[in-house]
């Protein structure tokens, strides 16, 4: 970069685009030098200046933000130099709570799920939440065989060679350890080691922003000897697969890990009430600054492992644990602009473009402003927030960044408001297609009514369709989608999902070859076509998620797909379902089946039904199904259980478990739980006070058992 650079305000769009391209390449090169080769060429300050310049240009020219922009690429991308490891048991994350009230709610929800009486003692462990990287260490026959990062929870990176260099991690376990055991915990770096090493590195080049990044960079080294030179440590606090139980309680199990030579945290304590948990939280918070390592909260876990087992998991986190986070990091900066983004469902979302600012070690340039009311100073319930203060362009704002979530604007600094700052007027027209943007009563979100004619929505739908958790088509990033979407040449145009899959055939018959177009080239075109062809078969859950139906995110898509198993059955079910009209209407049986799926309520069901009822969706779907085959889902849960594949209805009072637990248990055993009795019901579990459902079951000749018989059946 030249020393005499133009002020950002004076750049033309063309100059800005060129500079962003150059910066992306330059920063990527320095990242490689730094992370991959451990041989930085420039100082930390120079490196930061490059990133800041990049951020400043992006604020001014948001439409030029590149797919490979350094502001989007956080740290070094998965290097690809490490193999992958599929975790024997998924590595889950934790739910976060922030207030005392949330902790009370958490304990109450655990008690409710377990139907645990208020007067019966329920113990939790409380321990620091270490700010490092989670790691799973697999031991077989007492020997460390693999070490893997968390990755996406299902698959992580194999970092065994690097982990073996950490002194604190035992290579072998004593004879009393189970034959197979996965010890899980956090790799971290002590703050004093971090400071000392960072100082030494400052002489040669670049430094790390915090111990966590340093630990992450150290683990990613290609050369294990490089990792060896970094003082990494490890706290054990959990486990994955084990061939024999470790203990009866969390506390004892961790103590056992300690007895095998793992470092365990000595701030872990047992708490027997919410008050004790909160007292522990405050005690740990008070010690935070004097601890030699970074922590970002306190983790509470149900102590009894049999109760943990009963509580089980939600999609991404256990029901038996939660993280009570310390307050997030904050900073002030200037709000340069408010930009409206149009999502795939037409939602207009205001995004704050900020004067770049470092919040807790990360440069922040964008933050969410949630919605129209939020900008005005009105909260979700219609009550004033920030004492009614609105947010205006030019304001000095307070930005908060908590963990990995999108930064948000909390408040403004009223004294710093420029005299000419005007209240922000939220557009009532879609910035992309000009259609009216309307806000329905009771909704916080304003939506573009352009539907199919709105290019922003269409582009977002396509982007969603090819995204990682949907069709996962590599080589079709934002830029490429826009290129194909806006192309007038019929052999190069993609306006619907099906057209992605017909591109290759259209290209074959065309003289305008993609490979001759700037930014494409023969190899990348070949790769793109291979990536597309590789997705002609996808699981039903991905297929459904990719359709981008409102309220059907990944989790709901999985729930629905695993219920119907085939796409045909799913489509039939949703097409036949009739949305109830008014209160007394229970809907037809197809509707009942849909809302009977665990976790699927009326709002989600309605969105699905409406989607399949819409003629143009059906057309688009038929076209897509000519190109792509959804692969049936495997039935989940324990297929060997006596209730696997059965449809079960619970009715009346349950005495040994809550309704939620009953449902979760049945599903774990591979049963479907329905809310009402129909011909499709296989089994009714009736407790005292059962009424009409019991009668219906008897009338239909369906097997009825009581709660004790249920336990006998599933445990036998
Ligand atoms: S328990 C099934 N305990 O926090 C849940 N996690 O935000 C197992 N973490 O991915 C995790 N300290 O990397 C647990 N004392 C602690 C922890 C801890 C840090 C990390 C862990 C996890 C993340 C979730």
């Amino acid at each position: 970069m030249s020393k005499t650079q133009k002020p950002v305000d004076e750049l033309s769009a063309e100059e800005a685009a060129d500079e962003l391209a150059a910066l992306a390449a330059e920063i990527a090169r320095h990242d490689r030098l730094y992370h991959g080769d451990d041989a930085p060429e420039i100082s930390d300050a120079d490196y930061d200046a490059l990133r800041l310049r990049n951020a400043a240009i992006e604020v001014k020219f948001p439409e030029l933000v590149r797919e490979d922009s350094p502001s989007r690429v956080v740290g070094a991308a998965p290097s690809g130099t490490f193999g992958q490891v599929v975790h024997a048991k998924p590595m889950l994350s934790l739910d976060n709570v922030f207030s005392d009230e949330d902790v009370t709610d958490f304990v109450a929800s655990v008690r409710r799920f377990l139907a645990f009486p208020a007067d019966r003692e329920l113990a939790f462990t409380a321990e620091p939440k270490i700010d490092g990287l989670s790691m799973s260490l697999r031991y077989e026959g007492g020997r460390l065989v693999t070490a893997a990062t968390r990755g996406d929870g299902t698959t992580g990176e194999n970092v065994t060679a690097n982990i073996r260099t950490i002194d604190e991690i035992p290579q072998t376990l004593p004879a009393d350890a189970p034959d197979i055991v996965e010890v899980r915990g956090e790799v971290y770096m002590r703050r004093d080691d971090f400071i000392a090493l960072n100082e030494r590195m400052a002489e040669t080049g670049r430094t790390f922003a915090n111990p966590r990044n340093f630990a992450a960079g150290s683990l990613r080294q290609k050369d294990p000897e490089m990792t060896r030179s970094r003082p990494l440590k490890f706290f054990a606090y959990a486990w994955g697969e084990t061939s024999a139980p470790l203990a009866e309680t969390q506390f004892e199990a961790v103590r056992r890990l300690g007895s095998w030579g793992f470092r365990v945290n000595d701030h872990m304590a047992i708490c027997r009430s919410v008050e004790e948990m909160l007292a522990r939280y405050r005690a740990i918070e008070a010690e935070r600054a004097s601890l030699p390592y970074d922590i970002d909260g306190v983790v509470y876990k149900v102590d009894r492992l049999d109760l943990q087992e009963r509580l089980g998991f939600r999609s991404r986190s256990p029901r038996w644990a939660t993280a009570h986070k310390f307050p997030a990091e904050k900073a002030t900066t200037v709000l340069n602009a408010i930009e409206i983004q149009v999502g795939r469902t037409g939602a207009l979302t205001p995004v704050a473009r900020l004067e770049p600012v470092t919040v807790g070690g990360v440069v922040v340039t964008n933050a969410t402003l949630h919605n129209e009311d939020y900008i005005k100073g009105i909260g979700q319930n219609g009550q004033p927030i920030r004492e009614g203060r609105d947010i205006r362009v030019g304001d000095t704002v307070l930005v908060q960044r908590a963990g990995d979530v999108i930064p948000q604007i909390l408040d403004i600094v009223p004294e710093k408001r420029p005299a000419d700052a005007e209240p922000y007027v939220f557009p009532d027209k879609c910035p992309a297609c000009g259609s009216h943007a309307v806000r329905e009563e009771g909704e916080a979100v304003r939506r573009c009514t352009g539907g199919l004619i709105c290019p922003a929505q269409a582009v977002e739908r396509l982007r969603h369709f090819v995204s990682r958790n949907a069709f996962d088509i590599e080589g079709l990033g934002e830029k490429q989608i826009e290129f194909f979407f806006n192309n007038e040449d019929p052999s190069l145009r993609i306006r619907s999902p099906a057209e992605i899959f017909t591109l290759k055939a259209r290209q074959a018959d065309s003289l305008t070859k993609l490979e001759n177009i700037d930014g494409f080239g023969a190899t990348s075109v070949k790769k793109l076509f291979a990536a597309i062809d590789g997705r002609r078969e996808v699981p039903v859950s991905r297929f459904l998620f990719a359709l981008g139906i409102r309220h059907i995110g990944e989790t709901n898509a999985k729930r629905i797909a695993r219920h119907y198993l085939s796409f045909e059955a799913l489509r039939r079910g949703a097409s036949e379902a009739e949305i109830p009209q008014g209160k007394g209407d229970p809907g037809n049986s197809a509707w009942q089946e849909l809302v009977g799926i665990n976790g699927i309520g009326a709002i989600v069901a309605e969105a699905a039904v409406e989607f399949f009822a819409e003629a143009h969706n059906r057309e688009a779907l038929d076209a897509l199904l000519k190109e792509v085959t959804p692969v049936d889902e495997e039935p989940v849960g324990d297929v060997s259980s006596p209730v696997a594949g059965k449809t079960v209805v619970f009715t009346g009072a349950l005495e040994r478990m809550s309704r939620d637990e009953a449902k979760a248990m049945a599903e774990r055993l591979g049963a479907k739980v329905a809310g009402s009795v129909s011909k499709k019901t296989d089994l009714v579990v009736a407790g005292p006070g059962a009424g009409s459902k019991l009668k219906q079951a008897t009338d239909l000749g369906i097997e009825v058992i009581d709660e004790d018989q249920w336990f006998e059946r599933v445990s036998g």
Side-chain angles (χ1 to χ4, degrees):
M1 202 176 40
S2 75
K3 288 262 177 285
T4 50
Q5 55 182 209
K6 259 193 185 174
V8 172
D9 277 344
E10 290 171 19
L11 289 177
S12 70
E14 210 171 307
E15 288 167 332
D18 287 349
E19 195 173 337
L20 286 177
L23 281 165
E26 189 168 1
I27 293 173
R29 190 171 76 84
H30 290 303
D31 280 343
R32 262 194 318 275
L33 285 170
Y34 187 60
H35 290 293
D37 310 339
D38 219 49
E41 275 177 6
I42 57 171
S43 75
D44 188 23
D46 285 347
Y47 177 84
D48 284 347
L50 289 176
R51 289 190 84 104
L52 278 169
R53 172 85 179 165
N54 187 71
I57 300 176
E58 288 183 345
V59 170
K60 179 86 199 301
F61 298 94
E63 68 285 359
L64 297 181
V65 175
R66 300 166 58 89
E67 184 75 359
D68 63 350
S69 162
S71 65
R72 298 184 167 207
V73 187
V74 183
S79 55
T81 47
F82 300 104
Q84 307 247 297
V85 175
V86 177
H87 300 300
K89 287 210 171 161
M91 286 182 84
L92 294 151
S93 92
L94 291 169
D95 260 5
N96 292 330
V97 298
F98 294 93
S99 67
D100 293 5
E101 225 184 358
D102 292 343
V103 177
T104 311
D105 289 349
F106 162 68
V107 173
S109 74
V110 169
R111 280 188 177 274
R112 209 176 316 117
F113 188 94
L114 295 170
F116 221 69
D119 54 3
R120 208 158 133 209
E121 190 182 274
L122 180 63
F124 289 83
T125 57
E127 69 201 64
K129 184 170 189 296
I130 317 296
D131 197 5
L133 301 135
S134 47
M135 187 62 52
S136 186
L137 309 170
R138 188 176 171 90
Y139 293 82
E140 288 177 8
R143 292 181 177 283
L144 175 63
V145 288
T146 25
T149 61
R150 193 177 118 181
D152 63 4
T154 311
T155 312
E157 271 186 335
N158 186 337
V159 289
T160 317
N162 288 346
I163 284 293
R164 285 195 200 281
T165 68
I166 301 178
D167 289 342
E168 283 202 348
I169 293 182
Q171 298 289 321
T172 56
L173 299 185
D176 74 306
D179 188 42
I180 293 176
V181 57
E182 286 176 0
V183 177
R184 292 183 175 172
E186 206 84 353
V187 171
Y188 67 100
M189 193 180 278
R190 282 171 59 116
R191 218 174 305 116
D192 50 359
D193 285 336
F194 162 74
I195 292 168
L197 213 61
N198 234 8
E199 265 171 20
R200 249 189 285 150
M201 291 188 55
E203 290 159 19
T204 55
R206 225 166 73 69
T207 52
F208 280 95
N210 54 46
R212 184 182 188 284
N213 290 0
F214 207 152
S218 307
L219 267 189
R220 248 193 245 119
Q221 295 299 323
K222 275 189 231 143
D223 177 7
E225 285 315 307
M226 194 59 90
T227 310
R228 192 188 298 282
S229 68
R230 307 274 173 84
L232 296 176
K233 310 262 178 216
F234 179 76
F235 270 127
Y237 53 66
W239 54 93
E241 188 186 355
T242 59
S243 53
L246 298 188
E248 286 186 0
T249 64
Q250 176 76 30
F251 198 86
E252 287 306 320
V254 172
R255 208 210 298 266
R256 195 148 171 232
L257 298 180
S259 77
W260 296 342
F262 290 97
R263 181 194 293 269
V264 296
N265 197 289
D266 51 11
H267 289 83
M268 180 164 78
I270 292 191
C271 303
R272 297 191 158 78
S273 65
V274 173
E275 291 69 37
E276 284 184 27
M277 290 159 83
L278 295 176
R280 202 62 220 148
Y281 172 83
R282 298 209 207 297
I284 293 176
E285 191 181 22
E287 264 196 72
R288 182 181 187 185
S290 55
L291 289 177
Y293 44 84
D294 282 353
I295 63 173
D296 57 352
V298 171
V299 183
Y300 306 120
K301 299 172 185 168
V302 169
D303 191 37
R304 268 173 55 183
L305 300 184
D306 60 328
L307 297 183
Q308 286 191 5
E309 176 97 22
R310 276 178 60 191
L311 283 153
F313 302 89
R314 284 179 233 94
S315 58
R316 268 185 276 265
S317 56
R319 284 196 194 86
W320 44 264
T322 199
H324 189 176
K325 299 291 285 280
F326 295 135
E329 316 220 36
K330 300 185 181 92
T332 54
T333 186
V334 174
L335 174 60
N336 286 329
I338 296 178
E339 194 191 294
I340 302 291
Q341 288 180 346
V342 186
R344 72 188 144 84
T345 59
L348 267 46
T349 309
V351 178
R353 303 290 180 199
L354 304 168
E355 196 58 38
V357 61
T358 306
V359 192
V362 172
V363 178
V364 172
T365 50
N366 302 323
T368 177
L369 282 164
H370 303 288
N371 56 49
E372 186 170 357
D373 280 353
Y374 189 82
I375 298 177
K376 282 191 190 144
I378 306 171
Q380 275 167 351
N381 48 11
Q383 297 300 312
I385 46 172
R386 306 185 296 267
E387 295 166 357
R389 280 187 288 278
D390 68 337
I391 298 173
R392 302 184 184 181
V393 172
D395 269 338
T396 294
V397 292
L398 182 64
V399 189
Q400 169 175 292
R401 192 183 68 88
D404 295 333
V405 297
I406 306 171
Q408 52 172 332
I409 297 212
L410 292 182
D411 205 346
I412 60 152
V413 184
E415 310 82 70
K416 293 206 175 162
R417 170 167 285 176
D420 58 352
E422 303 262 358
Y424 179 71
V425 183
F426 203 91
D428 58 2
K429 295 223 165 55
C430 171
C433 70
S435 302
H436 279 294
V438 296
R439 216 179 131 175
E440 293 194 5
E441 218 180 289
E443 281 239 5
V445 175
R446 194 175 275 279
R447 280 176 206 280
C448 160
T449 53
L452 288 182
I453 68 136
C454 177
Q457 286 185 52
V459 167
E460 287 306 313
R461 275 198 299 269
L462 284 171
R463 281 183 59 191
H464 173 77
F465 185 87
V466 301
S467 65
R468 198 159 76 94
N469 297 328
F471 267 70
D472 190 18
I473 299 179
E474 230 174 281
L476 271 186
E478 186 178 357
K479 253 192 4 210
Q480 290 82 1
I481 296 256
E482 273 175 16
F483 165 82
F484 289 120
F485 187 86
N486 295 321
N487 214 296
E488 292 304 329
D489 186 321
S491 80
L492 282 173
R493 200 170 60 194
I494 297 179
R495 300 245 165 108
S496 69
E499 285 173 359
I500 296 173
F501 293 92
T502 55
L503 180 69
K504 189 165 130 189
R506 284 181 284 138
Q507 270 287 293
D509 301 336
S510 164
L511 293 176
T512 358
K513 294 289 184 207
L514 191 50
E515 63 206 53
N516 299 330
I517 290 169
D518 231 16
F520 285 93
T523 325
S524 72
V525 172
K526 225 176 171 175
K527 271 196 190 153
L528 176 62
F529 288 155
I532 293 173
D533 280 339
R535 294 292 183 269
R536 287 189 185 267
E537 291 186 356
V538 291
V540 175
S541 53
R542 270 183 188 261
F543 188 90
L544 177 62
F545 171 63
L547 298 179
I549 303 171
R550 241 179 113 187
H551 306 300
I552 304 194
E554 253 190 289
T555 307
N556 283 341
K558 277 203 183 113
R559 289 176 172 145
I560 297 174
R562 284 180 185 158
H563 175 83
Y564 292 103
L565 303 180
S566 77
F567 188 72
E568 250 176 270
L570 189 164
R571 187 175 184 178
R572 196 177 335 114
S575 307
E576 286 173 2
E578 286 165 22
I579 301 171
Q581 306 294 316
K583 263 210 156 161
D585 183 359
N588 62 0
S589 66
W591 170 265
Q592 285 293 330
E593 178 170 355
L594 194 53
V595 291
I597 301 172
N598 187 29
I600 302 299
I603 294 178
V604 179
E606 220 170 281
V609 173
E610 280 171 356
F611 179 89
F612 288 100
E614 187 73 46
H616 65 253
N617 288 340
R618 290 209 301 264
E619 273 167 35
L621 205 52
D622 288 335
L624 179 61
L625 287 168
K626 287 206 180 93
E627 304 295 328
V628 173
T629 313
V631 180
D632 289 2
E633 293 289 320
E634 296 285 327
V636 280
D638 180 356
V639 279
S640 63
S641 95
V643 293
K646 300 242 155 72
T647 301
V648 183
V649 173
F650 291 93
T651 180
L654 297 175
E655 286 160 342
R656 294 171 59 178
M657 55 185 169
S658 69
R659 198 51 81 77
D660 284 344
E661 182 177 358
K663 210 170 173 184
M665 179 176 188
E667 279 167 359
R668 212 165 39 229
L669 293 164
K672 292 178 192 171
V673 179
S676 65
V677 175
S678 73
K679 278 180 292 188
K680 289 190 190 154
T681 310
D682 297 300
L683 182 66
V684 171
V685 182
S692 62
K693 288 183 195 166
L694 176 57
K695 185 172 174 310
Q696 264 172 305
T698 337
D699 290 350
L700 289 167
I702 294 164
E703 187 185 7
V704 179
I705 58 175
D706 67 17
E707 199 181 355
D708 287 337
Q709 288 168 315
W710 163 260
F711 274 103
E712 269 165 39
R713 184 164 302 190
V714 297
S715 63

